[in-house]
Amino acid sequence: MVTEELFNNALRIAVQLGKTDHFDGYKSGLSAFDLWIKELRHYSVSMGTGEFKHHEVNLTLSNCLLDSRKAAQRYLTAMNAHFKLKNGDLILEGYRKEVDMLTDTQERLLPSFRSSPESWTKEILEEQA
């Protein structure tokens, strides 16, 4: 029973964080995505020099997001097998789609960590946004 309680608590916290606008000065949940998109669009519009100096930060954030979504998908798949979540298949399908989209973006669109700021174009930033 302890495992089920921990799982239910993990879900409750995940939903709460998704709905929380910010905490301790950090954006959270959907508002964090909105800020990231806004900043990517800002840089895509203001790239007069053709250099995206924040490319390493952006790649790190993208990789962390993809890694966390893959981990969540694995965790929820395992827990759903034991507890049969209400709407579990829909939740897992949402994570699968997000993982697929993020993987495609990383493989097809984003330059590598070995890239330079000049490798990033306005078009790349706009498409990522």
Side-chain angles (χ1 to χ4, degrees), residues 12-79:
R12 183 185 58 72
I13 291 169
V15 169
Q16 181 182 357
L17 287 174
K19 292 179 178 180
T20 299
D21 182 65
H22 66 280
F23 60 93
D24 292 337
Y26 293 97
K27 285 292 196 179
S28 179
L30 296 176
S31 67
F33 281 120
D34 290 341
L35 178 61
W36 192 2
I37 290 167
K38 177 183 169 191
E39 290 297 314
L40 286 172
R41 289 193 171 134
H42 166 77
Y43 284 113
S44 74
V45 168
S46 64
M47 279 181 55
T49 64
E51 291 186 3
F52 180 51
K53 295 179 180 158
H54 303 288
H55 68 288
E56 290 173 333
V57 172
N58 187 47
L59 281 171
T60 299
L61 290 172
S62 296
N63 283 336
C64 288
L65 179 61
L66 176 56
D67 186 54
S68 69
R69 292 308 187 259
K70 285 179 178 180
Q73 183 182 25
R74 287 189 305 269
Y75 175 69
L76 288 170
T77 298
M79 292 296 106

Side-chain angles (χ1 to χ4, degrees), residues 52 55 58-59 63 105-121 124-125 128:
F52 180 51
H55 68 288
N58 187 47
L59 281 171
N63 283 336
T105 299
Q106 187 177 59
E107 291 174 356
R108 178 187 56 78
L109 179 67
L110 301 182
S112 74
F113 271 103
R114 294 181 303 277
S115 67
S116 65
E118 296 84 15
S119 301
W120 291 77
T121 65
I124 288 172
L125 294 176
Q128 183 187 3

